[in-house]
Amino acid sequence: MQRRRRDLPPMTSLPVFESAGRHMSIAKAADELCLTPGAVSRQIQNLEAFLGCDLFERTHRRIALTPAGEVYWARIHASLGDIRAVTSDLSVSVDRRPLVIGSPRVFLQKCIMPVLGTLYARRPDIVVKFVTGGHDVEGLDGMVHVGETVGKKGFVCEILGDADLTPVCSPAYLRRAPPLKTPDDLENHTLLRSAEFTRNWERWLGPRAPRIFSNTRFIDLESSGLELTAAVEGLGIAIVRQKLVKQELADGQLVTLFENEMVHEHYLFMFADPKLRSESFRFFRTWLRDAVME
């Protein structure tokens, strides 16, 4: 049988002992550490039992360090001070490195870039690197993506706003195009798609997709976002997130089709719990929610 190590005390007891010795009060230590006085007393008793000596002299209304307790407290106080200092230094160095944030290309272009200046106006020292493409959230400080909230252990997933899918086209295209009364009529039209977002047409069309895909004409574009430009130019019908085309709809460059058929999804911001230790990340997270959430 492996013998129990005797060179390290119960580590959870050390901050409790240090606080009680600093305040010379069980009650004040309990208040500082958000514990009950009973829990503080038990931690100290566990430490005394491990050491085999009393650390405090106890009377009805006060405590005082024993000679052994004074020596031990001074060393523990200094050691915990060193730990706090190096932790603070490390946290500062972490806050100084760039935050790496993943985002869909068009969301970055249409929702983040127009308001990004407000981030740097409020925090000129912050450095953020945005990346697009198929990155894993575990390799990033945070990631914006589309879908439903997920309960991945150790991660936070927050809703940023709607990501509703809807077909759009220019008024000029609609005037010269064949009749378009129901989604089934799309097989007689030109649809715009990029390789990255073919799934969006499949998601919106549902069971109609195989038939319409086999009959319609597609204009395929290499990069996501180009289908939006093509739609404004009147080349066909694009499937887009309504949030991304608010300005084009307001300006009359685009019109929505079949609003009752909209597919409702969300933009989400996902990150690992430990990222919240970084002050710069917490600032960015709050800014992102305020800047893009409706």
Side-chain angles (χ1 to χ4, degrees):
M1 180 181 294
Q2 185 178 10
R3 296 183 63 185
R4 179 182 176 186
R5 290 185 62 182
R6 295 287 300 177
D7 53 344
L8 287 176
M11 302 304 287
T12 56
S13 298
L14 297 182
V16 178
F17 166 65
E18 189 276 336
S19 180
R22 180 160 33 87
H23 292 293
M24 287 301 170
S25 169
I26 297 294
K28 290 181 179 179
D31 185 62
E32 178 179 85
L33 300 171
C34 299
L35 298 172
T36 65
V40 170
S41 294
R42 286 191 295 274
Q43 289 280 6
I44 294 172
Q45 289 166 6
N46 289 341
L47 185 58
E48 290 175 326
F50 179 90
L51 295 171
C53 66
D54 290 337
L55 299 172
F56 289 104
E57 294 177 352
R58 297 165 176 83
T59 63
H60 179 61
R61 293 185 177 274
R62 60 183 295 272
I63 60 173
L65 287 165
T66 64
E70 288 181 357
V71 173
Y72 196 62
W73 183 88
R75 297 294 295 271
I76 295 302
H77 174 71
S79 297
L80 290 178
D82 289 342
I83 292 171
R84 292 187 184 101
V86 71
T87 300
S88 177
D89 290 345
L90 182 59
S91 296
V92 169
S93 68
V94 168
D95 275 341
R96 286 176 179 166
R97 71 169 179 79
L99 297 175
V100 182
I101 305 297
S103 172
R105 185 187 307 276
V106 186
F107 182 87
L108 175 61
Q109 176 187 348
K110 303 288 287 185
C111 293
I112 293 181
M113 297 302 291
V115 295
L116 189 57
T118 64
L119 173 67
Y120 296 116
R122 294 170 59 188
R123 280 290 300 270
D125 60 311
I126 200 167
V127 180
V128 184
K129 177 184 178 181
F130 293 99
V131 296
T132 60
H135 294 272
D136 192 317
V137 66
E138 295 185 19
L140 304 169
D141 291 294
M143 182 175 71
V144 178
H145 67 107
V146 175
E148 298 299 324
T149 55
V150 294
K152 187 175 182 180
K153 186 176 180 180
F155 285 81
V156 178
C157 191
E158 302 174 328
I159 294 177
L160 290 177
D162 293 336
D164 298 334
L165 274 176
T166 186
V168 297
C169 66
S170 71
Y173 173 86
L174 203 56
R175 285 194 295 270
R176 66 174 183 269
L180 189 55
K181 295 181 179 180
T182 73
D184 291 319
D185 294 330
L186 288 171
E187 65 182 352
N188 301 316
H189 287 258
T190 300
L191 305 187
L192 308 168
R193 66 181 178 183
S194 63
E196 185 176 352
F197 289 119
T198 296
R199 183 196 76 87
N200 290 346
W201 271 119
E202 294 172 343
R203 177 95 168 86
W204 188 84
L205 287 169
R208 306 182 187 97
R211 177 177 53 81
I212 291 178
F213 277 21
S214 64
N215 293 315
T216 193
R217 177 194 176 206
F218 278 106
I219 296 179
D220 288 305
L221 304 158
E222 181 179 6
S223 299
S224 61
L226 291 179
E227 63 267 45
L228 175 56
T229 302
V232 171
E233 295 299 323
L235 297 179
I237 300 171
I239 185 78
V240 298
R241 308 284 174 188
Q242 190 173 37
K243 185 179 182 68
L244 304 181
V245 293
K246 289 192 301 182
Q247 192 60 52
E248 288 82 356
L249 293 173
D251 292 344
Q253 294 177 293
L254 294 173
V255 294
T256 57
L257 306 171
F258 315 117
E259 290 194 52
N260 292 335
E261 303 273 348
M262 197 174 295
V263 172
H264 300 290
E265 295 182 321
H266 293 100
Y267 282 109
L268 307 168
F269 186 50
M270 192 170 183
F271 56 89
D273 286 331
K275 301 299 180 182
L276 292 173
R277 298 172 188 165
S278 165
E279 188 276 334
S280 60
F281 178 82
R282 294 195 303 271
F283 182 89
F284 176 82
R285 171 204 186 192
T286 300
W287 171 84
L288 181 64
R289 287 185 304 187
D290 293 344
V292 305
M293 185 180 288
E294 295 180 344

